[in-house]
Amino acid sequence: MIRTGYSFFVVLLLSLSVFSSIYADDFLEDTLKNGAGIRALAMGGAYTAIAEGGAAVFYNPAGLIYSGGEFRNENFDYQASQYKSFTASYGFISPFGLASLRKETNTNMVDMTTIGYGRRGSKGIHWGVAYKSIHYKNATEEKVGWSADLGVLVNVTPFMNLGFVAKDVMTAYVPVSSTVAGGLAFFTPDRDFTWSLDLVQTRRNLSDHYLLKTGFEYALAEGLTLRTGFAQNYWTGGAALQLPFAALEYGFQSERETGQTLQMLGFSLGRGATPPKSDKAGRYSLFKPKAFAVFTVGSSLVGGQSEYSLFNGQKLGSNDLLYLIHNAVEDPSCRGFMIRIQPMQSGLASIGLVQELREELLKAKKKGKTIVAYLDGYGSLPEYYLASVADHITMPSLGALSHLSVSLEVLKTKDFLENFGMTPHTLSSGKYKSVLHGNTDPLDADSRLVYEDLVQDLFHKVLADIQTSRKLKWEDISQAFTGELISASQAKTYNLVDSLGYWEDVETYAEEHYKGIGSTSLIAFTDPVGPELLIPALNRIAVLEIDGPIVSGPAGQNILFGGRSTGSDDIHDMVDEILKNVFIRGVVVRVNSPGGSLLGSDHIHRAITKLKDKGLKVYVSMGNIAASGGYYVALPADKIYANAGTLTGSIGVVSSFMDFHALQDMLGIKREVIKSGKFADWGSANKDVTAEELAMLEAAQKQGYEAFKQKVIEGRKLTPEEVDSVSQGQVMSGEQAVKHKVVDALGNFYTVVDALAKEIQITSPELVYFRKPEVTGFPLLGDLLAKAQLAL
């Protein structure tokens, strides 16, 4: 449905044509209304609904939205049969265009420079504007002025466009009238044949006329295109030869009555505009064809935002993948999903990540969409867990499944380091806070029990989801979920997969079972721009993302190898931006963080509290991990949501540092120190730590620990006794966290968005992501002999 704003815009353009100037010069009128461009003129001038390339500035500036770029020089009467000069030079780099046109006879001259801009809109409706600086003279006068055009281009279907343009709707100091033009264009799927039709209002001898133009274009061979067209008083034709980085153009325009003919030649550099092929064009059309959304997941999938590094390339963030999937789920033209699943990053945190994607895909199935999955060779628990949501799973006959179970492995290095004279020191506030650190003592019975419960809780949840999706009985599949290696044929026997084959077999399956349904990239279901309204929307929810380790001060990003941190200063700046936006009704804080700096976490806690103090509702959505400092920053929220497999909790404080004094003694290194105070050299890696220094550190750490627990008491409305039982540093699953009342409910990101929207009484919420621009720099090197760090 076309929005009211666009309808108003089109009516306004048509209305402006009524207010035409009472005097207009015919030569100037012809120049400004008929435009210039060999391709367009060779197609009879019927170009309003095509409007591709630099010539769009003359015919419909909305066409500048098509990606591409070129520089073009054209002569529209190279034999000088009718004009002393009729040339144009123009170039464009989407969405901007610049053109210079000169048209001259013995008595008249128009010299015009045009600047155009196209803006891609939602629902396949785009608009553009062109400003024309005009120098005009005839036998009796000379004028300098300007005028402006407004255009709209509508991708109605993948095979049809509508175009509207109001020409010279604003003018100054030149005698030209305001007119309108409308056009239709039809394309074959590969755009090898185009038919266009224009109805153009013109003004001659102070009276209005309506001219019908039509044109045809046919790609005879790769790089060779033929054109023809006609209007009421002339017919046209031409051809184009497209080379890899250049093009040659020829055209003619012949008057029917007199036989006078303009011969045109042009040359261009660049590939010109590249309108999308039918699969993509359909996604941005007003009426979209149904199609499967295709995407691949693998080792490049990370929690949180997407990132880029020089050596590891592009990493797709779970936040962004969820956004794309959600848009496709909500799009009626999405028939379903075709997912290619490659080996992913393993570990406990991967379960929550996959779980959240599955939940969004389950919503798709409830809407009647089909999911087809392909296990690309090898699959362990994360890969199979994601695939199990599908209606049909395929894997290669030589593929295998393995490690369909959950395990937690910790390497303890304390004894190893001490054998080489390196002494690790770890201070833990919380009985279980440091047990997963490598430089601590082996797990005791209590610690092992806590993490056995976590592993079993995660495994049973995953297994229950798989059994439900695949309709499996435990007695039939128990052997498969011991972690052993299972061949593809065994997996099919167990009913874990449906067929054996390769990716092309998946495509064939979809074609045979869903005839007439194509496929396209997942990103094609996301509108290239958000909603554009004449009045700002009052349904906006801000999204504030906390990714990676939390640090005090500004964030950092490793441009070489990837990875990002969240800086407390940046969060404060983004909170200030949110508070300046009067259209924000609520905030979702999205957390994918294992924790980090105590000071940084407390600083962010303060920023989020500031949002609440200003009257905004704040909900937290935990991703795959929101532990320690990642949990601390969630505490001010009105409600906290987690996935069942989210790793959260870890309420406690840990400090760790290393000293090398024993190694130095072994190597015969002598330490000399001169100091002004007793504790001036505490934290030096070249000395053993004293009992007094340990006591000092423990006292400082206890202060942070007690502050953390107090924040839990205040944020979660729990008693000190209840908090004490959950603040021993133990990591919990989201499901366990709900039972212990440290999290309110289970749900993925969009469950949280829907819950917040309901709470603040808005429908169809528009999400506004507040993100810091990408950081491109090397990670800062810390002091190698830094003092002990308080870390969450």
Side-chain angles (χ1 to χ4, degrees), residues 380-413:
S380 60
L381 189 67
E383 294 83 20
Y384 185 73
Y385 187 27
L386 178 59
S388 66
V389 75
D391 298 282
H392 189 92
I393 304 174
T394 300
M395 71 181 300
S397 58
L398 297 179
L401 296 177
S402 180
H403 296 90
L404 298 183
S405 56
V406 178
S407 65
L408 173 63
E409 184 178 58
V410 182
L411 291 178
K412 295 292 185 177
T413 60

Side-chain angles (χ1 to χ4, degrees), residues 292 504-517:
F292 278 96
E504 55 266 29
D505 299 307
V506 176
E507 295 174 318
T508 301
Y509 171 87
E511 291 171 0
E512 292 177 349
H513 288 76
Y514 306 96
K515 296 187 182 300
I517 305 297

